[in-house]
Structures are given as structure tokens and as C-alpha cells.
Amino acid sequence: MTRKPQNILIVDDEASMRDFLESSLAGRFQVHVASNVDAGLEILQRERMDVVLSDVQMPGRGGLDLLDDIRHKLDYRPIVIMMTAFGTIEGAVEATRNGAHDYLTKPFGLVQLDHVLQRNLEREQLVTENRSLRENVSKAARRHGLLGNNSHMTQLRERIAMVADSRGTVLLQGESGTGKEVVARAIHYSGCRREGPFIRLNCAAIPESLLESELFGYERGAFTGALTATKGKFELADGGTLLLDEISEMPFAMQAKLLRVLQEKEFMRLGAKYATQADVRIIATTNRNLKEEIKARNFREDLYFRLNVIPMQVVPLRQRKDDIPLLANHFCQIFCAENDKPLMTIGERAMRRLMAQDWPGNVRQLQNVIERAVILSQGPELNDEIFGLQDELDSTEKAPSLDSDMTLRDMERELILRKLGRTRGNRTVAAQELGISVRTLRNKLNLYTDQGVEIPG
């Protein structure tokens, strides 16, 4: 489809200048001319102009008056370029201070005219693209970043809408990098607690000796260095949501104290004489199979049942590869906007390469790859070389081919063990990807264990 020429308005009291500019720009622009400011303003109000070329000094009202009219009487902002004789250049400089985009000093030639027009049109296009990018990012943020048209993501958004207003504890399970915290925030900000605080505690990042005071707070003098009373995460989250990230890493002894708080809905600061109540909704996340952790006596079964009121699974990226183009383009838009770069595209070959990967680091790894590519790229298109996929992703190197001398039973065992290794020991996910039941997988693994085979994870 042929692009419609942009509208340009020439405002100059000299007929020779109007004729020169009109003949020079005709064909590339839809040219409109006016001999004075009032006539120019009438055209601007009647039809949307992309560019205005105006003389600074004209009989009666001049270019600065037209600039003032544009600022106060129009609901849009065209590119304004002032034209001035050498002796009145101060007026053009003043015009740029008041909102004009650029100026030309008379006399000027076609080369200079084209250069100024192209420079300002390209700049305006970049501003428009960045504005559009930020609007798209804002829209995505309003969806809480839960991008994807895959059926898993559609069901997840539907589940979030169902549980957002409830008080039930949510247990989010999924591999690292799948976006469990994003889901937790979506639950919080979609529900009736959205005006309350959203507090996050990474259970794996806090030393065991400090975890209790981090969760429940402490009174002054409770221990050496406790100079003032301090609220813990439960108290800070009153009226809102407390995210217990990587709950499977919480020390076993601390799990019993957390269970009591969930049951009694009250807690005690360290050194306190009386319990404190807090209205807190708990969302817990884990990248481990808690049922396996319970069998290994690393996690309390009663705490698991208390947390698992509303179970939700966030699937790995390899199970929704059809969402990779949407995610990759979304991240590309974000990082182009953040780095003030023109909107880049992802080449067809590069996109195929992205979709061919298994992404063990999931969405977080894809996001990091796109960010690096945008920062390092000098051109308008991101190709597979700039992604650095060989270094980044081939560490998830292809497994060696199966030996042609292997029996069918040997091949089955090798496939199951590789799949289990790729899912980091998550038997539920491995069974889903293999197309068998968890019970069948468990029976086969028990058989392999009896044969002395080491089971991944």
C-alpha cells in the first residue's frame, strides 16, 4: 500500500519564497501555503499538518505569534521549523526556546532544506515510536506481565481471576525463571487486597539465625544490637499479601513456627510478651517437588497441606514455545524503550533459533538474552549472531545420540533419565512431557534404582 504524503505548511509573506519551497517539496509532501499567520492558523485548524515552515519576521503577526497559536489553539503538535534572515537569527533562537524544533538561515539551498527536514522527521518518528513502546509496556504492566496466548497461560489467568479475592493460601510451583513472582503479584493486584502492601521474603536468602526476626520482628532489647523495636514481614504485610519465595528452602525448625502462625493467625515478636495479629494472605512459591521433599523429610507434611489450599502450576517455557515470539518481541520493545533506541525487529532466522531452544532458565533467560542483544546491536534487526545463542544456550547442549546397539528397553530408560535430568528431578513435569502417568514413571524409576542406576534430581 502506498504511503500517503505528509502534510507540510509554508507560511511566508514573500511570494518568491513560497513558490520556491512549494516547487521543491511537491511530490514528496502534500504542500499547503499561506502568506500570513492568520491564514496559516486557519489551515492548521482545518487540516492536520505534520510540518510547519514559517518565516520569523512578517508584516503584522510573525512566526513567534504562530508558534504561540500552535501551542495554545491546536490539539496536536506539528514539527515547527523557523526560517530567518541572517540579521534576525536571535528571533529563531528564541523560537526554538519556545518550542520550535529547528531553524533555517536564509538564503538556504535544497540540500540544507532536505537535511533539516529529514533530521526532524526522523527525530519525531523516534519520539513517536518510544512513546508507543512505553504505552505498550504500560499496557503489559496492567496485565501484570502475564503475556502469552498458550492454553496454559489462558488457564492461569482464568485461575488468577477466580482466586484473587479469596483469603486462601496459594502455593505456586514451577521451575526457576518461569515467573512465579509475577503470578503472585498478579494475584495480589487483581484482588481486593490491591491497595494493601505486597511484601516479599526470599526464604533461601536469609540465614537461619535471622529468619525468625525477619518474619516476626523483634522488641527493643530482644538480643544484642536490638536497639529499637522492629516490625517483621508479617506485620509489614498487614492488610495485604506476604510472598514466601522458595518456601522449600525454609529450615525445618522454622517451618513449625510458620505453621503455628498460619493456624492461629497471630505471631509474637522476638522478646515480646503478647501476640500480635495480622490480616495477611500468604502466597508461597517453590521450584522443588514438595511431595518428594516430604518423603526426604526436608519439608513438613502438615505445612504443605496448610499452604496447598490453592495449588497453581507455572509451566516452563519449553511447554509453551508458541509464546516465544510474543515474549521476545515484548522484551525487545521494553529494552529499546529503556535504552532510547529505535524500535528493533527480530529476524526470521533468529526467531526460529529462539524457538528451537529449550530454555532451561525459562522466561528469565529469554529476557536476559533479548536485553543483551538490544544493548549490543547497532542495526535495526536483531540476528542470531548478536543473541550469542551459541554461548548462552548451547550449554544446554544436545545430548549425545543414542547408540544404535541399544535395546528398546535401554533407549526407554535413557530417554526417561534424560527427561528427568532436564526437569531437574521434577517427576510430575517429566511424566507430562513423556506422556505417561506419574505412577508409571515412579514404578520405572524404582526398577532402575533396584538395578543400581543413579536417578537424576
Side-chain angles (χ1 to χ4, degrees), residues 117-134:
L117 284 172
Q118 182 177 357
R119 179 175 64 200
N120 284 278
L121 287 169
E122 288 179 350
R123 182 190 301 154
E124 186 66 18
Q125 182 181 3
L126 179 58
V127 169
T128 301
E129 286 179 349
N130 279 344
R131 186 184 302 121
S132 175
L133 291 179
R134 289 187 175 92

Side-chain angles (χ1 to χ4, degrees), residues 337-384:
E338 286 186 358
N339 292 280
D340 291 323
K341 288 196 170 189
L343 178 60
M344 299 177 184
T345 58
I346 300 176
E348 184 177 342
R349 179 181 173 185
M351 187 65 78
R352 287 199 302 269
R353 186 81 186 278
L354 293 176
M355 293 188 69
Q357 307 302 323
D358 277 340
W359 300 103
N362 293 296
V363 178
R364 184 186 298 129
Q365 186 182 14
L366 174 64
Q367 181 178 1
N368 292 342
V369 167
I370 300 296
E371 181 179 14
R372 180 177 64 235
V374 168
I375 292 172
L376 296 180
S377 179
Q378 300 298 316
E381 182 176 282
L382 302 180
N383 55 46
D384 52 350

Side-chain angles (χ1 to χ4, degrees), residues 212-455:
E212 184 172 2
S213 61
E214 280 288 321
L215 273 173
F216 308 132
Y218 53 85
E219 297 291 347
R220 179 183 178 184
F223 51 82
T224 303
L227 302 179
T228 59
T230 301
K231 294 180 179 181
K233 301 299 186 185
F234 264 94
E235 208 165 345
L236 292 172
D238 188 26
T241 301
L242 175 59
L243 171 63
L244 297 176
D245 205 8
E246 299 187 56
I247 188 70
S248 54
E249 307 306 311
M250 179 175 284
F252 201 82
M254 192 67 218
Q255 293 176 26
K257 297 179 181 180
L258 174 61
L259 176 64
R260 181 185 176 281
V261 172
L262 296 180
Q263 290 174 334
E264 304 296 331
K265 301 188 185 305
E266 63 180 24
F267 60 91
M268 291 188 68
R269 290 182 180 180
L270 292 182
K273 296 180 180 179
Y274 306 103
T276 300
Q277 292 187 333
D279 175 24
V280 178
R281 183 187 196 168
I282 300 295
I283 300 178
T285 74
T286 180
N287 59 6
R288 294 182 181 271
N289 186 326
L290 289 186
K291 291 183 179 179
E292 297 296 328
E293 294 299 303
I294 291 169
K295 289 180 182 178
R297 300 187 180 279
N298 294 326
F299 202 82
R300 293 180 63 102
E301 186 176 37
D302 47 6
L303 178 58
Y304 170 76
F305 290 134
R306 176 63 64 176
L307 294 173
N308 199 40
V309 176
I310 304 174
M312 298 177 73
Q313 187 78 31
V314 187
V315 300
L317 187 55
R318 63 179 174 276
Q319 288 187 22
R320 56 182 189 107
K321 285 191 174 184
D322 51 330
D323 280 338
I324 288 177
L326 176 65
L327 290 165
N329 285 315
H330 170 68
F331 292 141
C332 185
Q333 288 185 355
I334 288 178
F335 296 123
C336 284
E338 286 186 358
N339 292 280
D340 291 323
K341 288 196 170 189
L343 178 60
M344 299 177 184
T345 58
I346 300 176
E348 184 177 342
R349 179 181 173 185
M351 187 65 78
R352 287 199 302 269
R353 186 81 186 278
L354 293 176
M355 293 188 69
Q357 307 302 323
D358 277 340
W359 300 103
N362 293 296
V363 178
R364 184 186 298 129
Q365 186 182 14
L366 174 64
Q367 181 178 1
N368 292 342
V369 167
I370 300 296
E371 181 179 14
R372 180 177 64 235
V374 168
I375 292 172
L376 296 180
S377 179
Q378 300 298 316
E381 182 176 282
L382 302 180
N383 55 46
D384 52 350
E385 287 82 10
I386 198 69
F387 280 130
L389 294 177
Q390 188 69 29
D391 296 333
E392 173 73 23
L393 297 170
D394 285 351
S395 55
T396 61
E397 53 202 309
K398 296 178 181 178
S401 58
L402 298 174
D403 191 335
S404 59
D405 293 331
M406 295 173 69
T407 66
L408 187 61
R409 184 171 298 173
D410 291 337
M411 290 183 180
E412 179 190 64
R413 181 182 65 242
E414 184 66 22
L415 178 61
I416 288 174
L417 294 177
R418 288 184 187 180
K419 187 67 70 173
L420 199 62
R422 180 172 289 181
T423 59
R424 294 171 172 77
N426 190 319
R427 299 186 179 188
T428 302
V429 175
Q432 289 174 349
E433 294 188 4
L434 288 165
I436 60 177
S437 68
V438 177
R439 182 177 181 179
T440 299
L441 177 61
R442 183 171 61 247
N443 290 339
K444 289 182 180 297
L445 293 178
N446 288 338
L447 175 63
Y448 301 155
T449 301
D450 292 340
Q451 295 172 349
V453 176
E454 184 177 350
I455 306 300

Side-chain angles (χ1 to χ4, degrees), residues 46-275:
R46 185 174 66 243
E47 191 167 354
R48 192 181 186 93
M49 294 292 118
D50 299 295
V51 182
V52 176
L53 276 171
S54 174
D55 195 9
V56 173
Q57 286 195 335
M58 291 179 282
R61 303 179 71 213
L64 292 176
D65 297 306
L66 178 60
L67 185 60
D68 190 62
D69 288 343
I70 289 172
R71 291 171 58 193
H72 295 99
K73 296 182 179 180
L74 297 184
D75 59 359
Y76 68 97
R77 293 292 177 267
I79 298 171
V80 180
I81 300 172
M82 290 297 180
M83 301 178 293
T84 180
F86 181 76
T88 59
I89 195 169
E90 292 83 2
V93 173
E94 182 182 352
T96 57
R97 292 196 187 113
N98 290 327
H101 293 69
D102 215 330
Y103 66 88
L104 283 162
T105 305
K106 296 179 180 179
F108 53 82
L110 286 178
V111 174
Q112 188 179 0
L113 173 63
D114 288 343
H115 175 71
V116 170
L117 284 172
Q118 182 177 357
R119 179 175 64 200
N120 284 278
L121 287 169
E122 288 179 350
R123 182 190 301 154
E124 186 66 18
Q125 182 181 3
L126 179 58
V127 169
T128 301
E129 286 179 349
N130 279 344
R131 186 184 302 121
S132 175
L133 291 179
R134 289 187 175 92
E135 288 174 356
N136 289 340
V137 170
S138 177
K139 288 177 183 177
R142 288 195 291 271
R143 291 181 67 192
H144 314 296
L146 292 172
L147 299 177
N149 298 318
N150 182 275
S151 59
H152 289 295
M153 293 305 295
T154 302
Q155 293 169 11
L156 183 62
R157 286 193 291 267
E158 290 174 352
R159 190 77 178 270
I160 289 171
M162 291 171 59
V163 307
D165 286 329
S166 73
R167 299 176 61 91
T169 302
V170 179
L171 179 59
L172 293 172
Q173 299 184 75
E175 295 178 12
S176 296
T178 51
K180 296 185 291 297
E181 184 177 344
V182 175
V183 176
R185 290 182 181 276
I187 294 171
H188 172 77
Y189 289 108
S190 298
C192 56
R193 293 175 177 265
R194 66 176 68 90
E195 300 301 328
F198 179 89
I199 304 297
R200 174 181 176 271
L201 177 70
N202 188 328
C203 300
I206 308 297
E208 182 174 357
S209 58
L210 300 178
L211 188 55
E212 184 172 2
S213 61
E214 280 288 321
L215 273 173
F216 308 132
Y218 53 85
E219 297 291 347
R220 179 183 178 184
F223 51 82
T224 303
L227 302 179
T228 59
T230 301
K231 294 180 179 181
K233 301 299 186 185
F234 264 94
E235 208 165 345
L236 292 172
D238 188 26
T241 301
L242 175 59
L243 171 63
L244 297 176
D245 205 8
E246 299 187 56
I247 188 70
S248 54
E249 307 306 311
M250 179 175 284
F252 201 82
M254 192 67 218
Q255 293 176 26
K257 297 179 181 180
L258 174 61
L259 176 64
R260 181 185 176 281
V261 172
L262 296 180
Q263 290 174 334
E264 304 296 331
K265 301 188 185 305
E266 63 180 24
F267 60 91
M268 291 188 68
R269 290 182 180 180
L270 292 182
K273 296 180 180 179
Y274 306 103

Side-chain angles (χ1 to χ4, degrees), residues 6-35 51-56 58 81-84 103-117:
Q6 292 176 296
N7 285 316
I8 188 167
L9 172 64
I10 300 164
V11 184
D12 200 301
D13 62 305
E14 295 181 14
S16 59
M17 178 56 74
R18 294 197 304 271
D19 293 341
F20 162 70
L21 292 172
E22 184 175 10
S23 62
S24 300
L25 299 173
R28 292 181 294 154
F29 293 88
Q30 191 71 39
V31 183
H32 305 257
V33 295
S35 59
V51 182
V52 176
L53 276 171
S54 174
D55 195 9
V56 173
M58 291 179 282
I81 300 172
M82 290 297 180
M83 301 178 293
T84 180
Y103 66 88
L104 283 162
T105 305
K106 296 179 180 179
F108 53 82
L110 286 178
V111 174
Q112 188 179 0
L113 173 63
D114 288 343
H115 175 71
V116 170
L117 284 172

